[in-house]
Amino acid sequence: MTNAFDLNLRHLRGVAAIVRAGSVSAAAQLVSLSQPALTQGVAKLEAQLCTPLFTRQAGGMEPTEAGRALAARTGAAFAHLAAAVRGGRRFANAERLMTATQLRAFLALADAGSFVGAASATALSQPAIHRAVRDLEQVCGQVLVERRGRGIALTAGGLRLARGIRLARAEIAGGIAELTAREGGSVVIGAMPLSRAMLVPRAIARTVAAAPEIEIDVIEGSWRELVEALRDGAIDLTIGALRPEPPADLTQTPLMTDRLMIVGRAGHPLAGAATPTPGQLAAYPWVVSHAGAPLRALWERLFGDGPLPRAPVHCGSVMVIRGILAESDFLTLLSPEQIALEVDSGVLAAIGPEPALSGRIIGVTTRRDWRPTRAQSRFLAALDQVGVPARGA
């Protein structure tokens, strides 16, 4: 499949300009190309993508559905680049002067952290990468990379540009994916602890059963570990406990309301208590989520106005928590689905009845301006089918 930066950015802008202006001659002026050059550029794109973007008629070029879709994605991609250099640009419309080679080289440098690593990851030489970065700095009117000892680091402007390039790449890649009629494509999921137990596996199984050509990557982590990759466009969506107050650049969609239970090892001193009191629960150490996590707030509410028990371990890994509980008298607060196998096998046990707490809202988080491809829409539909609607959502 064609990669996003294998395409000529000026030709992509030309496609969007033709759709917007309604004619090749007007579009050519917008992208500073001659009319024959733009016509040839569009033809080259169509050959690379194996898809007609326009129908040639006596009255001009009429965009196909694929052409309109690619134009919309291209517009969004350049908007990301424009936002990334806003305030530091040297030239008006600086994003229009960037080339795919420059963006590929700079992103390789940002990912590798060195010119040697960037050269190894691309087909470009170190001098070519140096030159591409210098050219980008000229276009943007700001320093993007600075030396630190024997290594390099991105400046604040460099970090903004790297994010803008990643988001632009994701938009163009989404446009390419939408051009094909086959039910393929890819989805990159950021899976938080609770979602890994049943929600994500069930949704993946449904998605792949309906469209076997779809490729799905699952990246595990906590919210704080995944959110920057989501903002960068490296992850399409995250699934897990929603934040009480989501950041302004993200959108949260509820899927289900989670149940909670107090958990300890089988044979824990409180395992036989019908309804342990807060004082009894506070007599044992706890494993709790990190500060700011929704589950941490619910755990604090469990003890009302009374003193909180000792919680020497802060952990979001269910695997680690299971091991701690099985080997000690620690307690924790978890979803029944997360420890169903351990309870059934007699390793862990519920401590008392389910606490009278409002459970966490589990759902999907995406970038506010994100538009899913067909493959990603299929996965979202599968999530809706396997999730239980959240109360009050």
Side-chain angles (χ1 to χ4, degrees), residues 266-280:
H268 189 282
L270 294 181
T275 307
T277 66
Q280 289 176 304

Side-chain angles (χ1 to χ4, degrees), residues 28-351:
Q29 294 181 358
L30 291 174
V31 296
S32 302
L33 287 173
S34 68
Q35 186 171 335
L38 178 55
T39 302
Q40 292 174 7
V42 171
K44 182 178 180 180
L45 280 177
E46 291 177 321
Q48 286 178 286
L49 298 170
C50 302
T51 304
L53 301 174
F54 297 91
T55 57
R56 277 69 174 173
Q57 302 173 350
M61 296 171 66
E62 181 68 21
T64 62
E65 182 180 347
R68 292 186 185 280
L70 184 61
R73 291 284 186 176
T74 297
F78 276 93
H80 284 304
L81 293 175
V85 297
R86 185 169 293 137
R89 68 181 64 192
R90 177 175 180 178
F91 300 102
N93 300 315
E95 69 280 358
R96 300 181 183 181
L97 302 177
M98 300 175 182
T99 68
T101 298
Q102 290 170 350
L103 300 189
R104 185 189 305 113
F106 182 73
L107 201 53
L109 178 63
D111 291 339
S114 71
F115 286 96
V116 173
S120 298
T122 64
L124 301 172
S125 65
Q126 289 188 55
I129 294 174
H130 276 280
R131 185 165 56 252
V133 173
R134 286 198 303 270
D135 290 346
L136 273 178
E137 289 181 327
Q138 287 293 313
V139 168
C140 297
Q142 57 186 309
V143 176
L144 302 174
V145 178
E146 58 186 12
R147 291 276 182 186
R148 289 189 181 174
R150 295 184 177 180
I152 62 99
L154 299 188
T155 64
L159 290 171
R160 283 195 304 272
L161 181 59
R163 171 165 291 174
I165 294 173
R166 292 188 181 100
L167 291 171
R169 180 180 62 183
E171 285 290 353
I172 296 172
I176 295 171
E178 290 171 342
L179 298 186
T180 176
R182 69 182 180 87
E183 291 295 336
S186 64
V187 188
V188 183
I189 304 161
M192 288 182 264
L194 175 65
S195 69
R196 301 172 205 158
M198 292 188 180
L199 191 60
V200 168
R202 287 173 177 169
I204 289 175
R206 279 179 177 263
T207 302
V208 175
E213 292 183 334
I214 290 179
E215 295 182 357
I216 298 178
D217 290 337
V218 180
I219 299 174
E220 299 182 66
S222 65
W223 186 85
R224 69 177 70 189
E225 292 168 335
L226 298 172
V227 67
E228 292 307 312
L230 176 66
R231 287 179 166 132
D232 275 349
I235 291 175
D236 297 318
L237 64 148
T238 62
I239 308 170
L242 300 183
R243 304 297 101 176
E245 297 181 4
D249 60 332
L250 302 178
T251 297
Q252 297 187 155
T253 304
L255 285 173
M256 58 179 286
T257 301
D258 181 32
R259 295 163 47 221
L260 294 171
M261 62 188 295
I262 300 169
V263 187
R265 65 175 175 84
H268 189 282
L270 294 181
T275 307
T277 66
Q280 289 176 304
L281 294 172
Y284 294 90
W286 285 70
V287 183
V288 298
S289 301
H290 293 93
L295 187 57
R296 174 67 171 265
L298 291 173
W299 172 75
E300 292 174 356
R301 283 174 50 193
L302 183 64
F303 295 92
D305 296 330
L308 293 175
R310 190 168 63 92
V313 180
H314 302 165
C315 181
S317 168
V318 176
M319 182 177 295
V320 173
I321 293 172
R322 289 168 182 158
I324 294 172
L325 297 184
E327 299 294 330
S328 68
D329 284 341
F330 271 80
L331 298 173
T332 198
L333 197 61
L334 285 176
S335 164
E337 289 188 342
Q338 290 178 293
I339 42 86
L341 292 177
E342 286 77 6
V343 171
D344 290 343
S345 62
V347 176
L348 300 179
I351 305 298

